[in-house]
Amino acid sequence: PPLAGASPGALNPFDRRLKRKQKNWAALQAEPAKCDYLREEVGGRIADRVFDITRTFPLALDVGSGRGYIAQHLTKETVEKLIQVDIAENALKNAIESEIPTIRVVADEEFLPFKADTFDLVVSSLRYVFISFNRALCVCVLQIHQVLKPDGVFIGAMFGGDTLYELRCSLQLAELEREGGFSPHVSPFTAVADLGHLLSRAGFNTLTVDTDEIQVNYPGLFEVMEDLQGKYILCMGESNCSWNRKPLLHRETMLAAAAIYQEMYGNSNGSVPATFQIYYMIGWKYHESQTKPAQRGSATVSFGDLAKIEGLLKRGKK
């Protein structure tokens, strides 16, 4: 099918054709190991969550797999067969080999080309970096729920709303001062409060959403920008693709932003931090064998009694 979101719209703030070009370009860059360590770190943490589930998954799907940042941490004892899907064919051509038998498919994540109730496990690492809480993200989560088997599990990670807050704030303040207004230079991110509602509305239950932060220190703002363009953002294929993006920043605005960055967030040793907030989410597709919550009003102990436990334990010891 054609790429969803190929034209501007109120419910679709992203240029997905540009996104595909960015990811294809990023996959062809030399020495990918220098710019992939953030994705590999998050991929390893998702794999740890897969290992926490004491079962073997006959068939798994990696949505937005890129070069296979999750698969390299998994074992064939946990996942017997894996299908990797990505919008960029160059990313799949340069995928990291793993011990798991793997099939690679080029497809848009909004139109997964699989039948319903197919996979025992679906994973996704930082694929939704450029999708905020809008129609696109809702469609993607619904697609994942549809292709999962009953009692199947989805484990994913995406950038949180506080990602690169130091950079965004510095750029906005500098543009307001020097140009009288500002436009987005980093793609918007989802708020953690939205994720639980989104997964629940898609049909998932037994939900878990937790957050983590990875902080990287740089000599200054210009090094942050260079690293983002050359590593985390462009080489990850995740540069800003909003329809209202601004093509460039004036030199005076950049110098002002660098001074603001250093003044507001600078470390004592002269470096500046860049924060990446990561949301991890786990959701299960309903099956009648799953544990169900007790009926309302069936509790035999009040939460008010919990405060008395410590006193009862002390008396018991005496």
Side-chain angles (χ1 to χ4, degrees):
L3 286 176
S7 60
L11 295 178
N12 174 35
F14 302 104
D15 184 346
R16 290 182 61 77
R17 293 190 183 278
L18 175 61
K19 175 55 53 184
R20 183 174 187 175
K21 291 180 180 179
Q22 289 172 349
K23 290 178 70 67
N24 271 317
W25 176 87
L28 296 177
Q29 299 310 296
E31 301 183 68
K34 289 185 176 181
C35 56
D36 281 347
Y37 55 85
L38 183 63
R39 273 190 178 274
E40 289 177 356
E41 174 65 25
V42 176
R45 297 185 186 188
I46 290 179
D48 288 340
R49 286 164 169 78
V50 175
F51 294 139
D52 288 339
I53 303 173
T54 56
R55 67 168 65 174
T56 298
F57 299 98
L59 183 61
L61 172 67
D62 186 352
V63 180
S65 62
R67 296 178 57 248
Y69 307 101
I70 302 175
Q72 63 179 323
H73 299 286
L74 297 173
T75 64
K76 59 185 178 182
E77 288 76 24
T78 303
V79 175
E80 296 179 350
K81 187 175 182 180
L82 177 68
I83 295 181
Q84 295 177 328
V85 172
D86 200 277
I87 195 174
E89 57 272 20
N90 290 338
L92 296 175
K93 290 177 182 177
N94 294 286
I96 304 167
E97 294 298 328
S98 72
E99 63 180 62
I100 303 172
T102 303
I103 298 174
R104 300 181 177 96
V105 179
V106 179
D108 190 329
E109 294 84 350
E110 290 188 36
F111 299 93
L112 293 177
F114 307 107
K115 294 181 180 179
D117 304 333
T118 299
F119 298 96
D120 306 279
L121 167 71
V122 176
V123 294
S124 181
S125 176
L126 302 182
R127 173 60 190 95
Y128 305 114
V129 58
F130 68 94
I131 299 180
S132 62
F133 190 76
N134 58 61
R135 173 189 170 276
L137 183 53
C138 293
V139 169
C140 291
V141 175
L142 285 169
Q143 290 271 305
I144 290 172
H145 183 270
Q146 182 178 6
V147 300
L148 271 174
K149 292 180 180 179
D151 201 32
V153 60
F154 166 54
I155 303 177
M158 62 187 299
F159 283 122
D162 288 338
T163 295
L164 299 175
Y165 70 89
E166 305 98 338
L167 174 63
R168 287 185 284 151
C169 183
S170 300
L171 290 173
Q172 289 175 7
L173 290 175
E175 278 193 286
L176 283 171
E177 177 193 359
R178 298 303 174 95
E179 302 180 30
F182 66 88
S183 61
H185 296 281
V186 179
S187 292
F189 301 103
T190 300
V192 67
D194 295 330
L195 287 181
H197 298 299
L198 172 65
L199 293 171
S200 179
R201 288 172 56 188
F204 288 100
N205 56 41
T206 318
L207 304 177
T208 302
V209 178
D210 62 285
T211 67
D212 195 5
E213 286 189 355
I214 300 175
Q215 193 173 85
V216 184
N217 293 318
Y218 298 88
L221 176 138
F222 293 102
E223 288 78 11
V224 175
M225 296 287 286
E226 181 181 1
D227 208 36
L228 291 175
Q229 291 179 353
K231 294 184 180 181
Y232 299 114
I233 304 301
L234 288 184
C235 281
M236 287 167 57
E238 306 299 359
S239 53
N240 185 15
C241 62
S242 302
W243 288 105
N244 61 342
R245 62 189 178 273
K246 191 174 181 179
L248 57 85
L249 282 168
H250 298 294
R251 182 174 179 274
E252 294 78 8
T253 303
M254 289 293 295
L255 292 172
I260 293 171
Y261 204 136
Q262 185 65 53
E263 180 65 25
M264 293 183 62
Y265 306 106
N267 299 317
S268 57
N269 62 359
S271 64
V272 296
T275 301
F276 298 90
Q277 184 181 43
I278 314 295
Y279 295 157
Y280 296 94
M281 47 194 162
I282 302 176
W284 294 78
K285 189 170 182 177
Y286 175 77
H287 187 266
E288 58 183 11
S289 65
Q290 294 173 350
T291 303
K292 300 176 178 63
Q295 291 185 354
R296 193 177 187 87
S298 62
T300 57
V301 179
S302 170
F303 277 110
D305 295 334
L306 295 177
K308 305 175 185 178
I309 290 179
E310 186 176 356
L312 292 172
L313 291 175
K314 288 181 180 179
R315 276 189 288 174
K317 289 180 180 179
K318 291 180 180 180

